[in-house]
Amino acid sequence: MADATPLYDTYARAPLRFERGEGVWLIAEDGTRYLDFAAGVAVNSLGHAHPHLVSALKEQADKVWHLSNLYEVPGQESLSRRLTEATFADKVFFTNSGAEALECAIKTARRYHFAKGQPEKFHIITFEGAFHGRTLATIAAGGQEKYLEGFGPKAPGFYQVPFGDMGALKTAISEETAAILIEPIQGEGGIRTVPNEFLQELRALCDEYGLLLVLDEVQSGVGRTGKLFAHEWSGISPDIMAVAKGIGGGFPLGACLATAEAASGMVTGTHGSTYGGNPLAMAVGNAVLDVILADGFLQHVRDVSLVFRQGLASLADRFPDVIEEIRGEGLMLGIKAKVPSADLLKAIRAERLLAVPAGENVIRLLPPLVTSAEEAREGLARLERAAEQLTVERRQASA
Ligand SMILES: Cc1ncc(COP(=O)(O)O)c(C=O)c1O
């Protein structure tokens, strides 16, 4: 088999090979420049090769790379302090990925009830269309058959209700329920925003029944929606929250945040990670926060979001055969396509613009948070050319 690759065949990769990145641009081996509104699926929050991140990583690389959690790690102390000062949380556990942050969140919720003498309370209610990662527990939490199939029995203790269905949710709560887990905006699910009122009702329901509210802000967090975390728009705060992607700006880093009460069961020995909180990751995470927490940065995200929203609304008006609906908040935007979303993705890629597929025939625009208004307009112009091209093709096909 001449063309067999030693890599697992788990990914359907586009035939694109990038050599380097500069801000919002990715440069292919042949020198072609692509406007990167995929940002590593909401990971490169500060774009590529951000000078502050590069120097933080290099500086730490000269000192010490890895220390293990047998010792105190100063970078963990500073980053956790900054995260707790900026959020609802009192406690932080560092991970290397989103799925691991969710694993920690799930364990924290279960352990809370266990420590309170109620070990039977380990069930977690989630929502259809959710995506929480690819470990055995997180595919059970996500509940999507396509990710569960063939991997043995689904991990027990996860129950799913239809998205936005408060009645079904109330019915699903039992003596065994420990927590409700939800993404404030479903990313993979198709940029489906949970209304603020629904989050507020969830908070009230959790308080009423003694459940923990767990938010998955792996994709929606760290400035993506124009607030540090998406749930802030609703005025509520969770008990536990999983974070990853943007917090590392491209370095593998995740975190599980919790109130002191919610984390009270996670005593010495209950959880661990060899690499979690590694000094290199901490240096980059701290550098990401230097930028995102700086005065005016989140306002910049909101301002650029407006440029996108206005531009996208106008494209939706002008190309009704191609665009059905615009979704999302801040710089977590979705275009629900009228044509197959794969065709739209292909057409925009031909215009050297990168985006990400999602459920419900949506393509996601997740530009770096440092995208300027001018770069946003450049992206919109490329989208416009792609929509024009698709409109012409459709007319020709139906003529
Ligand atoms: C909302 C959400 N949760 C969890 C994950 C899993 O993160 P990771 O791939 O880093 O394990 C993702 C990844 O796309 C995500 O979007």
Side-chain angles (χ1 to χ4, degrees), residues 71-120:
Y71 312 110
E72 293 177 0
V73 180
Q76 288 188 19
E77 286 160 20
S78 53
L79 187 53
S80 60
R81 180 80 50 214
R82 295 172 80 186
L83 285 170
T84 53
E85 279 171 8
T87 66
F88 70 95
D90 309 303
K91 305 291 271 182
V92 181
F93 182 93
F94 289 111
T95 70
N96 312 288
S97 67
E100 286 171 280
L102 263 304
E103 290 272 346
C104 179
I106 293 162
K107 287 177 77 173
T108 302
R110 289 181 172 178
R111 186 80 195 181
Y112 166 80
H113 294 289
F114 173 87
K116 291 258 178 290
Q118 295 184 299
E120 72 285 358

Side-chain angles (χ1 to χ4, degrees), residues 41 97-100 102 131-134 183 187-188 216 218-219 244-245 364:
V41 193
S97 67
E100 286 171 280
L102 263 304
F131 183 80
H132 298 299
R134 298 291 205 114
E183 297 155 84
E188 302 278 321
D216 179 346
V218 166
Q219 197 166 142
K245 290 186 183 274
R364 278 175 282 178

